[in-house]
Amino acid sequence: MRKSKTWGGIFEIPPYQHVFAYQRELRRLFERESWRIVHSHINALSAFSLRAAKKADVPVRIAHSHSTAGKGEPIKNAIKAILRMQANRYPTHRAACTEHAAKWLFGKGADYRLVRNSIELGRYSFNASEREKCRGELGAE
């Protein structure tokens, strides 16, 4: 495991597809760094990281759901369905961007905090005059 010397730190571990190595290295990382909080944003895959955090005695473990099952991904969805059974086993706190995302990952009646995305979508909607202005500034007319 290698830590970069950047401000926030970059930790390289095996990819989650290598489940046992991934969890082993996560646990070592959590133990070495002695973090008090682990906040996971990887939906059903949070079962892996939060399990490692629990084994490393991280006291606050947050699962954060951003989405639900993907269309046209039957194999991935089957794996997610299995992992969802562990969704409430390891976190001490639960968060979701929408009620639908919360129910999908944590189930009906689960205790969670709703944390809506804070992006002003109107700022990013298509605007023909803004496009022409930007193209002109970039010389890409």
Side-chain angles (χ1 to χ4, degrees):
M1 195 176 325
R2 185 174 57 122
K3 180 179 177 182
S4 78
K5 299 203 186 273
T6 62
W7 178 82
I10 297 173
F11 303 91
E12 292 182 29
I13 60 171
Y16 70 84
Q17 292 89 343
H18 301 280
V19 176
F20 299 111
Y22 176 68
Q23 287 189 84
R24 181 182 63 244
E25 293 305 316
L26 275 175
R27 183 176 178 182
R28 287 180 184 166
L29 174 65
F30 297 154
E31 288 171 347
R32 187 182 73 230
E33 297 298 321
S34 300
W35 290 319
R36 309 273 308 141
I37 300 171
V38 170
H39 188 150
S40 180
H41 291 266
I42 52 177
N43 288 345
L45 293 173
S46 291
F48 295 131
S49 56
L50 296 182
R51 179 178 184 266
K54 184 174 183 174
K55 285 188 169 210
D57 295 322
V58 175
V60 178
R61 301 174 305 276
I62 304 167
H64 197 144
S65 182
H66 289 267
S67 62
T68 60
K71 293 180 181 178
E73 299 180 324
I75 295 171
K76 282 185 180 181
N77 289 335
I79 293 168
K80 289 177 184 180
I82 293 166
L83 292 173
R84 281 175 42 211
M85 291 187 264
Q86 302 296 316
N88 290 305
R89 187 170 180 182
Y90 303 110
T92 58
H93 298 74
R94 291 158 195 81
C97 296
T98 66
E99 283 103 10
H100 187 62
K103 288 176 187 168
W104 179 83
L105 185 59
F106 307 126
K108 292 180 181 178
D111 184 31
Y112 67 92
R113 176 158 301 191
L114 189 62
V115 182
R116 297 199 185 275
N117 290 329
S118 59
I119 297 172
E120 295 178 39
L121 295 178
R123 292 180 59 193
Y124 301 98
S125 61
F126 178 73
N127 182 316
S129 62
E130 188 65 28
R131 177 180 67 178
E132 293 305 315
K133 177 184 165 196
C134 288
R135 284 182 172 181
E137 290 172 358
L138 296 171
E141 296 180 52

